[in-house]
Amino acid sequence: MLATTIAGSLPKPSWLAEPEKLWAPWRVAPELLAEAQRDAVRIALDEQAAAGIDVVTDGEQTRQHFVHGFLERLDGIDFRKRVTIGIRADRYKAEVPTIVGPIARRAPVHVDDVRWARAHTERRLKFTIPGPMTIVDTLADEHYRDRARLALAFARVINEEARELVAAGLDVLQLDEPAFNVYMDDVAAWGIEALHRAVEGLTCTTAVHICYGYGIKANVDWKKTLGGEWRQYERTFPLLAKSRIDQISLECANSRVPLELLDLLRGKDVMAGVIDVATNEIETPEQVATRIRQVLRHVEADRLLPCTNCGMVPLPRDVARGKLQALGAGAALVRQELGASTPPRRV
């Protein structure tokens, strides 16, 4: 009950990549990079375990960016042909590679990463992959020229990869879809279908992470334009409640999301963000416990996974570490109140 987890990313050590920066370049020579990344994964796993996080991730330590880290080894994408485009409905600009031919997966992308993490933790292991809609929104396309068709092509490739990740010991596959809070019409038209194709036939737990983005200035400024209530979830939650996805992740901490919208997810496990990733202020366990209690008014305790709002890669490492500890301790407080035991390490 109240198994804790994180949305995915953790800050990278300063010896691995430039701290507190998205798209940060590696600071390790290419011939030493793989070893350095694996050292960072072990640190990330150990820090989560020490904080009492029950469903752990590799902290995305082997990826420069949560989308492009998956795309780098796929055919049909030219990383030398980079262009600057507006993404997330022009919320901000990004330099992105270009689709120049059919998308294909020539070899496993993250299987070795999952094997390594699986060998170094006894806890339930989650791995994050960008969802089809978010991938489409983070690329320039000169081949398919149709967002829905391109998304389904990526869904097929994700599914190929995911089947091998499960065979390597993965417990939870999380698809990251921040674009779901931007293109709500597309979610209904083809977004859910793309998710279903991505998870088809998987035997692991499946999750989708939907939030309002990293705690960077472009996202913080955008949130200020959304008014007194953020009701984007109101359009997507009913669709997700009917979907084949097991767990839904959303942003709750210091957000203007009306918590009654959680009632739309009855029957699903909910990863509720009770840690704010847009501030360097470290929550107290009591603050986290209060947020969990508020969510429990709308989500059954055995379906609630206290989580972070989003990834924490842009934060200072000591801040992220403190937030992990607050998350674990706050959930423990509420478990004690409910008379519940600590969740099993792996089931």
Side-chain angles (χ1 to χ4, degrees):
M1 184 181 290
L2 300 183
T4 51
T5 188
I6 65 172
S9 68
L10 290 170
K12 295 178 177 67
S14 59
W15 45 260
L16 180 61
E18 186 175 343
E20 301 176 43
K21 183 178 181 180
L22 293 181
W23 315 83
W26 302 114
R27 286 180 161 176
V28 180
E31 65 273 15
L32 301 175
L33 182 58
E35 181 180 5
Q37 290 170 333
R38 289 185 172 185
D39 288 344
V41 170
R42 291 190 67 171
I43 292 170
L45 292 171
D46 289 346
E47 290 186 345
Q48 289 170 84
I53 305 304
D54 302 298
V55 185
V56 299
T57 82
D58 70 340
E60 300 180 10
Q61 300 294 298
T62 65
R63 288 172 270 181
Q64 193 177 44
H65 184 263
F66 83 103
V67 176
H68 293 177
F70 176 65
L71 304 183
E72 287 169 348
R73 284 184 269 172
L74 300 183
D75 287 339
I77 305 171
D78 189 345
F79 273 80
R80 296 165 302 180
K81 192 172 185 178
R82 292 177 177 267
V83 297
T84 299
I85 65 171
I87 66 175
R88 312 297 182 264
D90 289 325
R91 190 187 316 165
Y92 51 90
K93 303 292 184 182
E95 188 181 75
V96 302
T98 303
I99 303 287
V100 295
I103 298 301
R105 173 180 170 270
R106 59 183 177 271
V109 179
H110 292 304
V111 171
D112 286 345
D113 298 330
V114 167
R115 287 199 185 107
W116 174 263
R118 178 73 283 157
H120 291 88
T121 183
E122 296 181 355
R123 304 200 173 211
R124 298 196 75 212
L125 178 64
K126 177 167 73 174
F127 198 82
T128 63
I129 287 181
M133 182 180 293
T134 296
I135 293 177
V136 167
D137 195 50
T138 321
L139 288 168
D141 177 19
E142 292 184 355
H143 178 74
Y144 290 83
R145 302 185 185 279
D146 181 289
R147 287 169 67 90
R149 193 159 68 95
L150 179 56
L152 295 177
F154 276 115
R156 171 182 49 79
V157 169
I158 291 169
N159 187 255
E160 292 172 2
E161 176 78 6
R163 289 171 183 257
E164 295 197 37
L165 299 184
V166 174
L170 186 65
D171 297 300
V172 184
L173 175 74
Q174 176 179 298
L175 299 176
D176 291 336
E177 283 288 21
F180 268 38
N181 264 353
V182 183
Y183 307 106
M184 276 79 75
D185 289 342
D186 288 343
V187 173
W190 49 266
I192 299 294
E193 180 186 359
L195 286 183
H196 284 167
R197 293 201 187 185
V199 304
E200 185 176 358
L202 299 186
T203 57
C204 69
T205 298
T206 59
V208 61
H209 169 64
I210 308 170
C211 69
Y212 290 82
Y214 283 125
I216 59 175
K217 186 178 185 302
N219 292 332
V220 172
D221 290 345
W222 174 60
K223 292 177 187 181
K224 293 176 182 177
T225 71
L226 298 179
E229 288 191 339
W230 304 347
R231 305 195 71 93
Q232 284 76 12
Y233 293 131
E234 193 167 29
R235 295 182 59 185
T236 55
F237 279 0
L239 300 171
L240 288 164
K242 297 176 183 177
S243 77
R244 296 196 292 273
I245 303 296
D246 300 313
Q247 300 179 348
I248 317 298
S249 167
L250 75 151
E251 182 169 331
C252 293
N254 291 337
S255 78
R256 295 176 183 171
V257 175
L259 289 183
E260 62 266 23
L261 296 184
L262 291 168
D263 294 328
L264 299 173
L265 291 174
R266 292 289 179 183
K268 295 293 184 183
D269 291 345
V270 175
M271 291 185 286
V274 295
I275 295 291
D276 185 357
V277 301
T279 176
N280 286 358
E281 180 181 347
I282 297 173
E283 291 86 349
T284 66
E286 291 75 17
Q287 287 174 319
V288 172
T290 295
R291 291 169 182 167
I292 292 172
R293 295 184 197 107
Q294 292 169 342
V295 173
L296 283 171
R297 298 171 187 166
H298 305 277
V299 180
E300 298 170 11
D302 59 354
R303 287 196 171 275
L304 176 60
L305 293 88
C307 186
T308 56
N309 273 356
C310 188
M312 295 196 285
V313 66
L315 294 176
R317 287 186 72 199
D318 61 333
V319 170
R321 193 178 298 116
K323 286 176 177 288
L324 286 177
Q325 293 167 352
L327 175 57
L333 287 175
V334 181
R335 264 189 230 117
Q336 188 175 32
E337 294 169 4
L338 297 175
S341 60
T342 301
R345 288 292 168 249
R346 195 172 185 224
V347 295

